[in-house]
Amino acid sequence: MKILFTPYSGGSIAHIVRSLADADCLLKRGHEILFTSTTSKREFVRKAGYEVYGDGHPDVNLNDENDQTISYFKNNRHLFIAWMRDEIRAADDFRPDILVNSPNFMGTPAGSLFNIPYISIINAQWLMEYRGLLGIGKSKNHIGHQLFRKVAKPIFSYKFEKFYMKEVISFYNELKIPRVPRRRIHIHNSNPAIIPGIPEFEPLERTKRTNLHYVGPLFWQGFEQAAFEPSYAFSDISPGRPFIYISLGGSIFRKQSYEELIGAFAKKTEWNILLSLGPNFSREDFKRDMPHFAIRTYVAGLKTCQYADVIVNTGSHGT
């Protein structure tokens, strides 16, 4: 089977990494794999052992520090069009039997255009069945949360379709894709979904859908499964020294604010501090390691968390 992976790969690598975890399993079963990627993450995917279509597309940074509103879609329309067009061209050339995207922000333009079935690797919070709202928990089943969801969900869906879907529809129309997802339900409810989490953390409402599958966290065989112990980074790991783990994740570009945070931590010589930079910062841009302060590009987040007394993170998948 030919499988095309089209993960979001702007600032983040979380969606790439979880796709790589799936791709590794599928490759062992003899399937043919192709990825689309941004120009900035193309080499990351290639070094993982996979072919990337063409030269990649420009980054669509949904975590732009200067624009966190719906205006980002309007102001950067050309980036979204390039992203979607790259997927369409890859599908047209590769002719996959199935598409796998993560996390299905805008449906699958190639799936709609060529009638290719697709699967999403998606956090439950994006699904309409999520017991809560995107970005807002309220997922317990006591009366207060139930009332909140009953009132807020229709408002959220209305706002989502009025502002977000309006832009998505315009992208589809510009690309002359006939099957346009005009409602939120058309994006998130028409395909099988793999949820890389567990129901206790991301619960769903009761649903008749049988194509939603919890698979637990997806950890790629690369850096996410590397060995880690504090002694790998620090010479003094005595019980009296707290271990602080800081992860900048894959979506952070606000370097100045994080330099201030890092500077404050660096003065705490009585602590052991490990900083994971992620894909958007160069190790050369930071100071050398100190006995109490180690800086790495990537670490095995889950394994590191097992030893940490305090974790400072960005809500990233690996932490």
Side-chain angles (χ1 to χ4, degrees), residues 124-318:
Q125 289 95 328
W126 279 95
L127 298 171
M128 295 186 70
E129 292 85 357
Y130 176 56
R131 197 198 302 164
L133 291 177
L134 182 62
I136 303 176
K138 305 295 184 183
S139 60
K140 295 182 179 179
N141 256 342
H142 60 64
I143 189 66
H145 282 193
Q146 290 186 44
L147 288 173
F148 175 86
R149 295 196 298 268
K150 187 175 181 63
V151 172
K153 276 200 169 186
I155 298 173
F156 174 83
S157 293
Y158 170 75
K159 293 287 187 180
F160 184 95
E161 293 177 0
K162 180 179 180 181
F163 296 102
Y164 179 77
M165 286 302 302
K166 178 182 177 182
E167 300 301 325
V168 173
I169 291 169
S170 73
F171 299 155
Y172 273 73
N173 288 337
E174 181 168 334
L175 291 168
K176 296 180 171 54
I177 301 172
R179 295 166 57 198
V180 181
R182 300 192 175 278
R183 303 288 304 277
R184 186 180 175 213
I185 192 171
H186 298 151
I187 288 184
H188 296 302
N189 284 46
S190 58
N191 61 284
I194 295 172
I195 303 172
I198 58 175
E200 288 81 2
F201 287 167
E202 300 179 74
L204 300 179
E205 300 279 13
R206 290 183 179 180
T207 177
K208 294 181 180 179
R209 289 183 66 183
T210 59
N211 58 358
L212 303 177
H213 308 283
Y214 284 95
V215 296
L218 292 173
F219 291 108
W220 172 53
Q221 66 180 351
F223 68 86
E224 290 192 310
Q225 293 192 21
F228 178 81
E229 291 182 9
S231 61
Y232 295 169
F234 310 106
S235 56
D236 183 358
I237 56 170
S238 57
R241 294 182 65 83
F243 174 31
I244 315 299
Y245 172 41
I246 309 172
S247 171
L248 300 188
S251 304
I252 297 301
F253 290 85
R254 302 167 181 84
K255 186 176 179 183
Q256 181 178 351
S257 61
Y258 278 86
E259 284 180 334
E260 295 170 359
L261 173 69
I262 292 163
F265 272 112
K267 296 176 183 178
K268 298 291 185 178
T269 56
E270 69 276 19
W271 298 348
N272 284 336
I273 301 158
L274 176 64
L275 171 65
S276 173
L277 299 176
N280 300 317
F281 299 106
S282 171
R283 177 64 185 86
E284 289 72 29
D285 292 341
F286 293 80
K287 295 180 180 179
R288 294 181 179 179
D289 284 3
M290 294 179 278
H292 74 291
F293 199 123
I295 302 177
R296 303 287 184 268
T297 301
Y298 300 114
V299 300
L302 189 62
K303 294 178 181 178
T304 305
C305 290
Q306 293 176 350
Y307 294 97
D309 296 291
V310 175
I311 300 165
V312 182
N313 74 1
T314 63
S316 55
H317 173 66

Side-chain angles (χ1 to χ4, degrees), residues 58-128:
D59 281 26
V60 177
N61 179 17
L62 296 173
N63 293 283
D64 189 326
E65 62 182 302
N66 299 311
D67 190 349
Q68 284 285 289
T69 70
I70 193 64
S71 64
Y72 183 82
F73 290 79
K74 296 179 181 178
N75 298 339
N76 297 277
R77 181 185 186 85
H78 62 291
L79 298 179
F80 287 92
I81 295 297
W83 175 15
M84 297 171 75
R85 185 172 282 126
D86 190 39
E87 177 184 311
I88 291 170
R89 288 173 176 169
D92 194 25
D93 287 349
F94 186 55
R95 295 292 173 175
D97 299 292
I98 194 166
L99 293 161
V100 181
N101 65 18
S102 177
N104 201 20
F105 284 126
M106 300 183 293
T108 50
S112 298
L113 188 60
F114 302 122
N115 199 28
I116 304 170
Y118 65 98
I119 296 173
S120 297
I121 307 173
I122 186 169
N123 293 85
Q125 289 95 328
W126 279 95
L127 298 171
M128 295 186 70

